[in-house]
Amino acid sequence: MIVLGLETSCDETGLALYDSEQGLIGQVLYSQIKLHAEYGGVVPELASRDHVRKLIPLLNELLLQSHVKKSQIDAVAYTRGPGLMGALMTGALFGRTLAFALDKPAIGVHHMEGHLLAPLLSKNPPQFPFVALLVSGGHTQLMAAHALGEYELLGESIDDAAGEAFDKVAKMLNLPYPGGPQIAKLALNGDPEAFAFPRPLMHQALNFSFSGLKTAVSSQIKAVQGQSREADIAASFQEAVVDTLVKKSIKALKHTGLKQLVIAGGVSANQRLREKLEKSLNGMGAKVYYAEPALCTDNGAMIAFAGYQRLKAGQGDDLAVTTTPRWPMTELSLVTKP
């Protein structure tokens, strides 16, 4: 079975082809970073319009590079949610219409389930059950993944997501959008212990909070204005976020008794986070798994793969086009063999 995956939840247009026999056989990705950079964040209407412009050219490019004809596509998987309503609707309408034209099944995929399953595309994938740290611009969650489609929410951010905090602090430091990579780059020249930024909710269950940390950074920037301490602030901020994510992840592993941690989403590409996680988990006999670098950010491959898992179990959507901008993963159904 060859499944076409379409990802349009935010500001990246990602398409990919997943073959049940050969694995991932091709993917293309168009990022709208330049389009939104001047605004310091994603403008929903502009994102939707750009998806409209790029979907057909990217599909043609993908088919050409993969040596696959449209007639060879067996099913279409598209991101149903969560995400920006307009962006989701663009991809869903395109995907459902294409599937109808080809007389093939279609399925709407949960964006974060796609991220959670992306590490399963690697050469040495984790096995269920495991704890998943889903960390991106829109989400920071700890999940106990008991089986495919059976997810238990252990904790989540009660305000800003970690990736959102990176973007906002980068803006305070006059760094380009997106902020995560810019903060990480600047932090290489700074002292992570220069400023004692808070680690909110560190001793309270498994929830996260990053708004207080963001406020503390804002106050510190004003206090050292004119002293050229940007690198130290970036390093200390990054260390506070990483420290929080690592310690909460360890707490989740101990809480569940599991020994595998999957980390997925855009922030999972942060090298400092990976270093601290690997060092900490090795000391407790646990192992951490990541997606391939190209699959950490939003992409079509994770949607194609997640869609395939549900399609082969006999799941699929009718002709109605449904998008769900707010969609808890705990509402997903367990995937069982047909």
Side-chain angles (χ1 to χ4, degrees):
M1 176 187 285
I2 296 178
V3 179
L4 169 66
L6 306 171
E7 159 56 23
T8 62
S9 65
C10 192
D11 61 337
E12 263 125 7
T13 313
L15 288 79
L17 289 168
Y18 177 81
D19 189 322
S20 57
E21 296 182 1
Q22 301 179 56
L24 183 62
I25 56 177
Q27 65 171 323
V28 291
L29 180 69
Y30 173 77
S31 175
Q32 301 177 4
I33 287 177
K34 291 183 179 179
L35 176 65
H36 301 285
E38 64 177 293
Y39 303 100
V42 178
V43 180
E45 185 175 347
L46 294 181
S48 303
R49 290 178 180 178
D50 222 37
H51 288 311
V52 171
R53 285 193 289 265
K54 295 297 181 181
L55 278 166
I56 291 178
L58 285 174
L59 175 59
N60 291 333
E61 180 184 340
L62 174 64
L63 294 173
L64 184 64
Q65 72 166 231
S66 304
H67 306 290
V68 171
K69 298 178 181 178
K70 284 182 186 176
S71 59
Q72 293 177 283
I73 296 174
D74 297 305
V76 178
Y78 56 87
T79 303
R80 173 180 156 186
L84 302 176
M85 172 62 87
L88 290 170
M89 185 59 72
T90 300
L93 283 170
F94 181 85
R96 194 64 195 83
T97 302
L98 178 63
F100 178 78
L102 297 174
D103 194 23
K104 302 295 183 180
I107 189 167
V109 172
H110 194 290
H111 177 77
M112 295 310 293
E113 183 176 48
H115 274 305
L116 184 146
L117 298 179
L120 274 65
L121 284 164
S122 61
K123 294 181 180 179
N124 298 300
Q127 302 295 319
F128 290 100
F130 52 78
V131 170
L133 172 63
L134 304 176
V135 56
S136 65
H139 299 82
T140 299
Q141 298 176 324
L142 279 166
M143 289 278 183
H146 301 292
L148 189 58
E150 184 181 354
Y151 309 122
E152 175 190 358
L153 179 64
L154 301 174
E156 62 184 339
S157 178
I158 62 174
D159 41 57
D160 291 354
E164 183 181 2
F166 267 103
D167 285 338
K168 289 180 177 178
V169 169
K171 192 171 184 178
M172 294 177 197
L173 293 170
N174 297 314
L175 297 175
Y177 172 84
Q182 301 296 331
I183 290 284
K185 183 178 179 180
L186 182 59
L188 293 173
N189 299 315
D191 178 3
E193 298 181 359
F195 302 104
F197 290 134
R199 275 72 165 160
L201 301 187
M202 187 62 82
H203 303 293
Q204 298 181 33
L206 293 171
N207 284 333
F208 301 87
S209 172
F210 295 105
S211 64
L213 170 60
K214 181 185 65 179
T215 300
V217 172
S218 177
S219 298
Q220 192 63 68
I221 290 174
K222 294 175 183 176
V224 299
Q225 193 170 9
Q227 297 181 28
S228 300
R229 302 294 302 278
E230 290 83 0
D232 287 339
I233 289 174
S236 298
F237 162 74
Q238 176 179 254
E239 197 70 9
V241 174
V242 167
D243 198 29
T244 301
L245 295 174
V246 170
K247 290 184 178 179
K248 292 281 187 174
S249 296
I250 291 173
K251 187 180 291 188
L253 289 170
K254 291 179 178 178
H255 172 75
T256 59
L258 298 173
K259 293 293 185 180
Q260 295 182 109
L261 175 70
V262 164
I263 175 172
V267 181
S268 69
N270 183 281
Q271 291 301 309
R272 181 58 179 160
L273 176 59
R274 293 191 175 203
E275 290 170 6
K276 291 203 73 172
L277 272 175
E278 290 175 1
K279 182 178 180 180
S280 299
L281 267 60
N282 284 339
M284 58 184 290
K287 189 172 181 180
V288 60
Y289 296 85
Y290 313 98
E292 300 293 332
L295 303 183
C296 286
T297 56
D298 295 349
N299 62 87
M302 68 183 193
I303 302 303
F305 181 68
Y308 166 71
Q309 300 303 318
R310 292 186 173 274
L311 287 161
K312 75 174 181 178
Q315 297 183 19
D317 292 341
D318 56 26
L319 288 176
V321 177
T322 302
T323 57
T324 313
R326 296 182 180 276
W327 189 9
M329 277 186 66
T330 51
E331 294 181 358
L332 293 177
S333 60
L334 175 66
V335 175
T336 57
K337 295 181 179 180

